[in-house]
Amino acid sequence: MTGWPAFRRRFLRNPAGVFGLVVIILMILTALGAGLLFPASPLSITGDPFIWPGQSPAHPLGTDILGRDILAGIVHGARVSLIVGLAATAIAVILGMTLGVCAGYFGGLTDVVIMRLVELFQTMPSLIFTIVVMVSLTPSIPAIVLAIGMTSWPQIARLVRAETLRLRNSEFLLTLKVLGLSDLRIIIRHLFPNVTSIVVVTASIIAAQAILLEAAISFLGLGNPNMISWGSMIGSGKEALRSAWYMAAIPGMAIFVAVLGLSLFGNGLNDALNPQGTHK
Amino acid sequence: MSGSGGRLNGAINTGIFVLRRLVHVLPTMFLILTVNFFLLQMAPGDAVDVLTGEAGGASPEIVEMLRKEFGLDQSTGMQFLRYVQNVATFNLGYSVGYNGHVAPIILERIPASLLLMFTAIVVALIVGVTFGVISAVWRGRWIDNVINVISIWGFALPLFWLALMLIVAFSLTLRWFPASGMYNVYQGHTGWAFVTDVAYHMVLPVISLSVYYLAIFSRITRSSMIEIFGQDYMRFAKAKGLHPARITLRHGLRNALLPIVTITGLQLGAMLGGSVVIETIFAWPGMGRLAFDAIFRRDLNLLLGILFVSSFLVIIANILTDMIYSALDPRITLK
């Protein structure tokens, strides 16, 4: 059984993977609808401070130290997490696929140089590197996306390189060469499609890691101060941990569900793509 | 050959291996320095403006000293050479925020961080490997499902959030464990009392830091144990009539440990990053906490020093990993 219908059937049979997909769809809808649901800025004060969840119908999840609505913060915070997760993953995928295919296909010096770069970014602890980037540039969403993307691409590059090495001496590729296709055409038309499936699985894991990394950076107070994010909400909730722990607890659960959804989705994809692996 | 001669040979081989690996990582270290220098150049203003201005101003003498140290009157290329030369002699520059040289400030903080990370890795290994073995042996039973859920959850929990929730539960509510510091400053414990005091302070940070790795270790142990159960030598051990527990531990686990050693080495960088948030939350006096203070003071030079030193620690850890790997699997020799 191959092809899209078979893949879809296998994926839908896995409840955990479907749960992951539902979480991702809900998150996208929340991020898109944030402006409609809560038109006011989530940083504006809309009520008394320290309202516990369930205490006031106007603030279902309560308010924070300053009286900002927590539900509005969660809904708007989904935007930051989603943007950072998607954009950082996009950078990692583009860089990782291009460099990984080049390293595997051309070999030689190209391979040596690219693998040195892979080693470099796998040696530097990604959170510390991201912190340094945020301190030397001005804290902003593009800076955080760039920093996370730069530390994540080696995971993809290594996989793609290994897969390309496997394909390089296959008859399929040798035929294309004999036919006189240019390197660029072989890479784009024939190699990229063949490595896509392994990249997709890793990409969902990278998106999950990116959301966690962004949360940690914002928690440390290095995010964009004009945008609310789940990490920064936990950071400000930390100040009231003794009297109002819900302020830190709620955004943390949002991060947990988002990351859980992405990793279950990734596992589901992996199982559906490699059906023999699941019945071992 | 006599036993001592073999041991001597082994020691020489190991020495050559370590030397060769250190030479091999020199280009990587050089690249890290290049990245550091590049980041320093990217920051607005010249390096001295960044280092002094954002740290809240500095005396004219220090500004003068820094300008000389960075050779700002010279070309970018010369500045870079100077930077590399400084680092090669363990001069990581001057921290305005701490009013001292960066290298000793960082070195002083390393033991506390290593203590925390090492304990967390050991805890994660013991618990994670146990979970993984149980999961593999009783595959498909309820206990396997419970452990799978724990490991998937552990993977998705933001560890700084877990740390805060542990503080709420075990420190603020139940008052079982302290929420900050490494030891009780007022009581001035010595000897064993000091050791137990530190251990007591370590409970919550170690749990927070180890959960993620516990999840990884348990997952990897499970899958590699399941793979090993299908191998011929396991069937052979069974056919020999060996006790099932002995087969699982002696023949199964020993081989399953190999991928775990590799992953531990690969994950050390992530753990150094994790320790920044955990040390910050628990006011643990290590390198991570230092990094947070450096963020707060916008002390870029100190942060660059921390990035460099932590990368170096990752490299050392990877060399150690390879040595442990070859000790576990005699077929692999150090090259």
Side-chain angles (χ1 to χ4, degrees):
Chain A
M1 268 206 310
T2 45
W4 169 249
F7 166 75
R8 194 178 52 192
R9 200 172 322 134
R10 276 198 301 267
F11 181 81
L12 292 177
R13 258 208 312 254
N14 177 353
V18 173
F19 169 79
L21 183 64
V22 170
V23 168
I24 295 170
I25 293 172
L26 278 179
M27 199 172 153
I28 293 172
L29 291 178
T30 312
L32 289 176
L36 291 172
L37 289 166
F38 296 93
S41 161
L43 291 169
S44 62
I45 292 164
T46 54
D48 292 332
F50 291 94
I51 297 176
W52 278 69
Q55 227 178 34
S56 150
H59 306 283
L61 292 183
T63 57
D64 73 356
I65 313 178
L66 297 173
R68 298 176 292 203
D69 188 63
I70 291 185
L71 183 59
I74 296 288
V75 168
H76 279 266
R79 279 187 171 174
V80 175
S81 287
L82 199 69
I83 291 171
V84 172
L86 287 180
T89 308
I91 290 182
V93 166
I94 292 169
L95 274 178
M97 277 181 81
T98 313
L99 293 174
V101 160
C102 287
Y105 184 79
F106 294 114
L109 187 65
T110 321
D111 188 28
V112 172
V113 171
I114 292 174
M115 288 317 281
R116 274 289 174 196
L117 286 176
V118 164
E119 208 172 298
L120 167 71
F121 283 102
Q122 288 202 323
T123 302
M124 290 193 295
S126 48
L127 183 70
I128 300 179
F129 174 75
T130 312
I131 288 173
V132 174
V133 171
M134 295 302 278
V135 171
S136 53
L137 306 176
T138 33
S140 64
I141 300 279
I144 204 167
V145 164
L146 191 74
I148 297 177
M150 275 172 72
T151 54
S152 309
W153 68 266
Q155 300 176 50
I156 300 224
R158 287 185 92 124
L159 277 176
V160 170
R161 174 177 174 271
E163 189 66 14
T164 310
L165 281 177
R166 203 175 61 77
L167 290 171
R168 187 166 69 170
N169 296 319
S170 65
E171 286 189 18
F172 144 73
L173 216 74
L174 290 175
T175 315
L176 294 177
K177 273 192 177 163
V178 171
L179 284 173
L181 265 67
S182 70
D183 288 340
L184 190 67
R185 199 179 156 90
I186 292 179
I187 288 176
I188 293 178
R189 293 288 299 274
H190 301 280
L191 278 175
F192 276 170
N194 271 297
V195 297
T196 315
S197 64
I198 46 167
V199 167
V200 169
V201 174
T202 315
S204 64
I205 306 296
I206 288 182
Q209 289 169 350
I211 289 178
L212 284 174
L213 209 54
E214 187 278 331
I217 289 288
S218 306
F219 171 75
L220 291 172
L222 276 171
N224 182 343
N226 302 315
M227 275 186 98
I228 198 147
S229 96
W230 294 339
S232 68
M233 287 174 78
I234 300 179
S236 67
K238 191 183 76 158
E239 310 305 324
L241 209 55
R242 193 173 290 272
S243 53
W245 55 268
Y246 68 92
M247 290 176 195
I250 294 169
M253 281 182 232
I255 300 172
F256 173 64
V257 172
V259 174
L260 187 67
L262 277 165
S263 40
L264 289 176
F265 177 68
N267 288 348
L269 277 184
N270 192 31
D271 292 349
L273 287 168
N274 311 303
Q276 68 277 22
T278 49
H279 302 295
K280 227 178 2 194
Chain B
M1 197 196 279
S2 73
S4 67
R7 212 173 299 145
L8 185 65
N9 262 349
I12 291 173
N13 276 343
T14 312
I16 292 173
F17 162 77
V18 171
L19 262 178
R20 199 176 287 162
R21 280 295 299 266
L22 283 174
V23 172
H24 176 80
V25 299
L26 278 178
T28 307
M29 297 304 287
F30 182 76
L31 279 175
I32 292 172
L33 284 183
T34 315
V35 171
N36 271 5
F37 184 76
F38 182 70
L39 286 170
L40 202 57
Q41 295 280 319
M42 292 262 284
D46 78 9
V48 172
D49 291 334
V50 176
L51 297 180
T52 57
E54 295 197 351
S59 66
E61 297 87 68
I62 289 182
V63 172
E64 194 51 42
M65 188 190 89
L66 285 172
R67 282 198 195 279
K68 221 169 186 176
E69 195 175 290
F70 280 91
L72 285 182
D73 42 335
Q74 288 154 14
S75 68
T76 314
M78 283 304 289
Q79 285 180 42
F80 180 60
L81 280 181
R82 191 163 192 137
Y83 184 70
V84 173
Q85 189 194 350
N86 277 343
V87 175
T89 54
F90 275 104
N91 176 4
L92 295 177
Y94 194 80
S95 157
V96 182
Y98 278 84
N99 208 7
H101 283 280
V102 167
I105 295 173
I106 296 176
L107 287 179
E108 191 193 359
R109 298 294 195 104
I110 288 181
S113 285
L114 284 185
L115 176 66
L116 190 62
M117 290 194 296
F118 185 74
T119 317
I121 288 182
V122 170
V123 169
L125 270 176
I126 294 173
V127 182
V129 170
T130 313
F131 275 13
V133 171
I134 292 174
S135 235
V137 171
W138 285 283
R139 180 154 52 116
R141 307 277 190 80
W142 66 270
I143 185 101
D144 179 29
N145 294 332
V146 170
I147 290 174
N148 276 337
V149 168
I150 294 176
S151 80
I152 290 172
W153 284 25
F155 210 68
L157 279 174
L159 43 91
F160 59 93
W161 180 74
L162 177 69
L164 292 177
M165 294 303 113
L166 287 175
I167 289 179
V168 170
F170 295 105
S171 191
L172 300 178
T173 310
L174 294 169
R175 302 191 173 277
W176 286 358
F177 299 107
S180 77
M182 187 174 172
Y183 48 84
N184 193 324
V185 224
Y186 303 108
Q187 296 186 342
H189 290 302
T190 49
W192 269 112
F194 179 75
V195 174
T196 42
D197 191 33
V198 171
Y200 182 55
H201 279 80
M202 266 170 80
V203 174
L204 294 185
V206 164
I207 295 176
S208 323
L209 201 52
S210 59
V211 165
Y212 178 80
Y213 303 92
L214 188 158
I216 295 181
F217 291 151
S218 118
R219 210 183 279 188
I220 290 165
T221 309
R222 179 182 186 272
S223 61
S224 55
M225 284 296 277
I226 286 175
E227 203 183 309
I228 286 165
F229 281 152
Q231 300 280 332
D232 287 341
Y233 62 82
M234 292 298 280
R235 289 205 199 100
F236 181 68
K238 213 180 212 169
K240 268 204 315 194
L242 294 179
H243 193 270
R246 191 184 155 92
I247 297 174
T248 308
L249 298 178
R250 269 297 287 272
H251 298 264
L253 186 60
R254 182 167 174 172
N255 289 296
L257 281 177
L258 291 173
I260 293 196
V261 172
T262 313
I263 295 291
T264 312
L266 278 175
Q267 290 290 338
L268 198 98
M271 189 166 245
L272 274 161
S275 71
V276 176
V277 272
I278 295 301
E279 288 182 9
T280 301
I281 290 172
F282 290 101
W284 187 264
M287 203 166 62
R289 171 85 201 179
L290 184 68
F292 179 73
D293 292 337
I295 295 171
F296 202 64
R297 299 168 190 223
R298 295 278 182 251
D299 193 337
L300 189 54
N301 211 21
L302 184 53
L303 278 174
L304 289 172
I306 291 171
L307 180 61
F308 183 77
V309 171
S310 54
S311 308
F312 190 70
L313 286 178
V314 171
I315 288 174
I316 301 284
N318 282 329
I319 296 179
L320 284 176
T321 306
D322 285 354
M323 289 165 71
I324 296 172
Y325 203 101
S326 84
L328 275 175
D329 188 346
R331 283 172 306 183
I332 295 164
T333 43
L334 295 173
K335 268 193 279 224

